[in-house]
Amino acid sequence: MADLNTSLHTQLLLKADALLDQDITPGKPVVAAWGLMNAGKSYLLNMLTNHIQTECFRTNDIRETAELKEFETDDFIFLDTPGLDANNADDLIALQGAAKADIVLFVHQPQGELEKIEVDFLRKLKDSFGQFAEQNIILVLSKSDVESNTGIAAIEKRMLEQCRDDLGFTPRCYALSGSRFHAGVMQKKDGLVRASHLYDLAQHLDALNTDASAVKRERQRVAIDDIIAELTQAENALQQKHAQAKRQIVEGFQPFDKAMKDFHVWMKNTLNKFPAV
Amino acid sequence: MALPWLIGAAVLGVGALIASASSDDNSSSGNGDDEERKRRERAERERREREKQEERQSIKAALKNEGAQRAADFKQTLSGWVEVNYHSPAPFKAGILQTGKQYKRVVAEHFVDREELSMLESKTRLNLNEFEACYDVELTMTDAFEEIAAEMTEWEVQLQELQEYRAQFEQIRQHLGR
């Protein structure tokens, strides 16, 4: 139990250190791809950074991205994050990646609505963006070519309903096909490129590239408010434990204190009776 | 005419002699009474002093006895928290001086100071010090007490760290809020 407490304490301090070390000097906006494993994050980033034939961000069916990988273009720094699965340390790296980001592309593959774990992560993300959440978190429905247009539209509608009803915000959503884009570029077929909708997303990113430092400041403000709340909560928990232990000790020594008090009274009375020389 | 005067003077002279002789008798009897009174008073004082001395001895013995009897109780009341190891079969060492003042052992370093038991209430610390002063005893913390004390110390350190971090963040937050 003590080890667990120490571990939680250490984690909180590490988080605090990371926040203190965070650089919020204005620079290129950081665009992070975030989502479950194999959602298509790395493929999306390869397309956005023009890595058509060679992979900058490695894609694989197995968990490939166990660290943050970045690529800098003229306008942005693109960041790939480990796939979320809510059960290991890689999620912490993914969260660190999201913490650095000015824009997050939340990538979801169209097997259905957002899963609970995705909603939970999106909630944290949305909270951390404060007033910029709706503008700077973008839902990306990847691999849209694996489903009919009607199916994609239904999933997109459902995802936006979940965001509105469960999370209280309405982000933009882009249904993209990386493979159409790839084929379009390779085969020089503009129709396929257009149908991939990748440039729509790219244009939207360009439009967002305005005041990255304002987003950073807002995110830092939110993060600091959160960590102050966490530190206060941890302090209260420690104070409670400390007070409880102290009470236990005080109660434990009560019989001794009472015995000593009785002895004192007895000695005082006895001494009073003593005929002094 | 001179005779009656002479007779009168003679009578007065004899009366004065008788009165003088009577006064000497009284003085001699008073000296004897005073000595007796003084002797009786001395004897009374000595008796009272003997009684006081006996009372003193009795109170001293009662204190020894009471201290010895309570030794086991003190050990029992501290069980689970403090190991009590008496150094002799008659460990109670406090006593009463003839002046009525109590004397106790001088302890070089008290248990509560040696173990830095600041988490104890002040009255408990004083009681433990008093206990060591009255008894020839060695006090040590039980494992359970040591564990709790170590945890409390660790929590205090952690609390300090958290407060320092929070102060830093509150300062940054104030700066960002401007």
Side-chain angles (χ1 to χ4, degrees), chain B residues 107-135:
Chain B
V107 180
E109 188 181 26
H110 282 292
F111 165 65
V112 293
D113 298 327
R114 190 175 68 244
E115 302 293 350
E116 297 177 351
L117 301 179
S118 57
M119 80 289 287
L120 292 177
E121 292 213 311
S122 59
K123 71 171 176 192
T124 306
R125 286 201 299 271
L126 289 174
N127 282 335
L128 285 165
N129 290 351
E130 177 83 355
F131 182 44
E132 284 180 306
C134 289
Y135 289 86

Side-chain angles (χ1 to χ4, degrees), chain B residues 13-42:
Chain B
V14 170
L17 264 172
I18 290 166
S20 169
S22 168
S23 171
D24 283 354
D25 281 356
N26 283 347
S27 172
S28 166
S29 165
N31 280 344
D33 285 350
D34 198 34
E35 276 176 22
E36 176 57 23
R37 184 178 52 79
K38 283 180 181 171
R39 190 190 59 75
R40 278 203 301 272
E41 280 176 1
R42 196 166 49 247

Side-chain angles (χ1 to χ4, degrees), chain B residues 5-19:
Chain B
W5 286 101
L6 283 169
I7 291 166
V11 169
L12 280 173
V14 170
L17 264 172
I18 290 166

Side-chain angles (χ1 to χ4, degrees), chain A residues 1-2 5-7 9-10 12-17 19-20 24 217 220-222 224-225 227-232 234-236 238-239 241-243 245-246 248-264 266-267 270-271 273-277, chain B residues 49 52-53 55-57 59-60 62-63 66-67 70 73-74 77-78 81-82 92 94 96-102 104 118-121 123-124 127-128 130-131 134-135 145 148-149 151-159 161-163 165-166 168-170 172-173 176:
Chain A
M1 191 64 185
N5 287 335
T6 306
S7 157
H9 178 78
T10 309
L12 182 55
L13 296 195
L14 285 174
K15 190 175 169 184
D17 282 333
L19 190 55
L20 287 171
I24 61 156
R217 272 200 308 277
Q220 202 195 26
R221 188 190 60 73
V222 172
I224 286 174
D225 284 348
I227 198 110
I228 287 174
E230 276 188 74
L231 289 166
T232 307
E235 282 173 39
N236 290 341
L238 278 178
Q239 278 165 343
K241 282 197 292 189
H242 195 274
K246 180 151 186 174
Q248 193 187 346
I249 290 172
V250 168
E251 283 169 14
F253 277 89
Q254 264 173 3
F256 171 72
D257 285 332
K258 187 181 177 306
M260 282 302 285
K261 189 180 172 189
D262 290 348
F263 193 40
H264 261 294
W266 187 89
M267 278 202 290
T270 306
L271 284 172
K273 283 188 265 175
F274 191 83
V277 174
Chain B
E49 187 51 43
K52 275 188 185 176
Q53 190 57 27
E55 199 180 345
R56 284 188 201 107
Q57 294 307 325
I59 289 172
K60 284 180 181 180
L63 181 64
E66 192 69 23
R70 292 192 188 228
D73 288 348
F74 289 133
T77 56
L78 285 170
W81 297 96
V82 179
F92 187 68
I96 307 174
L97 297 169
Q98 290 294 87
T99 54
K101 299 279 181 195
Q102 197 179 9
K104 295 169 192 169
S118 57
M119 80 289 287
L120 292 177
E121 292 213 311
K123 71 171 176 192
T124 306
N127 282 335
L128 285 165
E130 177 83 355
F131 182 44
C134 289
Y135 289 86
F145 188 22
I148 292 180
E151 272 186 336
M152 287 179 81
T153 306
E154 190 182 334
W155 293 336
E156 283 161 17
V157 172
Q158 288 182 352
L159 194 60
E161 285 177 330
L162 293 174
Q163 285 166 342
Y165 270 96
R166 185 164 53 81
Q168 278 190 69
F169 282 116
E170 279 171 347
I172 298 170
R173 182 68 182 80
L176 282 174

